[in-house]
Amino acid sequence: MKRLKFEYRTEVTFDGSVIDHAFLLRCIPREEARQHLEAYELAVNPETDIRIERDYWGNTTLRGVILPPHNCFGFKVSGEITVDLARPRKLWHPIFSYPTEYTQTSPAMEAFTEKLLAGDESKDGKNALSKALCLMNGLYAVFEYRQNVTRATTKAAEAFALGQGVCQDYAHMLTAMCIYAGIPARYVAGFMLGEGHTHAWVEIFSEGSFYGLDPTNNLMADETYIKLAHGRNAMDCSVLRGGFKGNVSQSQDIFVHVEEIK
């Protein structure tokens, strides 16, 4: 069990004024068996009323609307959380056995998955975790982390064909490959120890429990990972979504810091 301190802030700047700005945030860590939010503080700028709800997957969502003109929007969440992987986990939802448009395999991905599993001792299907680790190791060996070559809407098969991408692409591809191999898998968004940006990884279901796999770093997710949201793909876990009135361009700055409390 680890106790972690976290800070997450995002600042969106517009090059002109916008109005009627509606937004949906998933910026507060989930409350579930593996992690407990001890305390947190939230600030949204410009200030507005916030409605806190849970979505279909149990992720905490914040909804609000800013009506007056403004040229920036931001939020900050900070707090402390306890992560304990020894706690019991819930049963998996059958929907995590089916691909979406973002986690659909291509023939090339299917051939790659079959090749990787052909040499795995657990190919008989008795150990889903071992199979998933084999797939993660193989994907990490051939895929290159590179920014600005994919988009938020890039699908798993498209990223695989490119051979390059970011953590969202790694997570979509591993989810797709696991589902193709008969392993229930879901996409996860959150933070990991250190300083940087939000992160994405995968949780697979094996022998009664979910296990986190981080294909970007070729690691199993441990108690230094904080989950914000999980779902079928990145669209289910988007941290910031919204719309506004105004013909403007925008830029975004993100900062994440996670440290262990001794």
Side-chain angles (χ1 to χ4, degrees), residues 31-50:
E31 185 70 32
E32 60 177 29
R34 73 176 296 277
Q35 63 182 33
H36 173 62
L37 190 59
E38 303 289 348
Y40 77 92
E41 294 182 355
L42 169 70
V44 176
N45 180 46
E47 292 186 2
T48 188
D49 292 333
I50 300 292

Side-chain angles (χ1 to χ4, degrees), residues 143-152 154 158-159 162-166 169:
F143 199 77
E144 178 185 1
Y145 183 90
R146 179 170 293 184
Q147 297 180 343
N148 303 318
V149 296
T150 57
R151 308 177 306 278
T154 298
E158 296 171 332
L162 286 171
Q164 300 172 335
V166 294
D169 304 305

Side-chain angles (χ1 to χ4, degrees), residues 4-5 191-195 224-226 257-260:
L4 306 173
K5 180 180 180 181
F191 317 135
M192 61 184 299
L193 192 69
E195 189 170 292
T224 63
Y225 287 68
I226 298 175
H257 179 78
V258 178
E259 62 180 89
E260 183 177 356

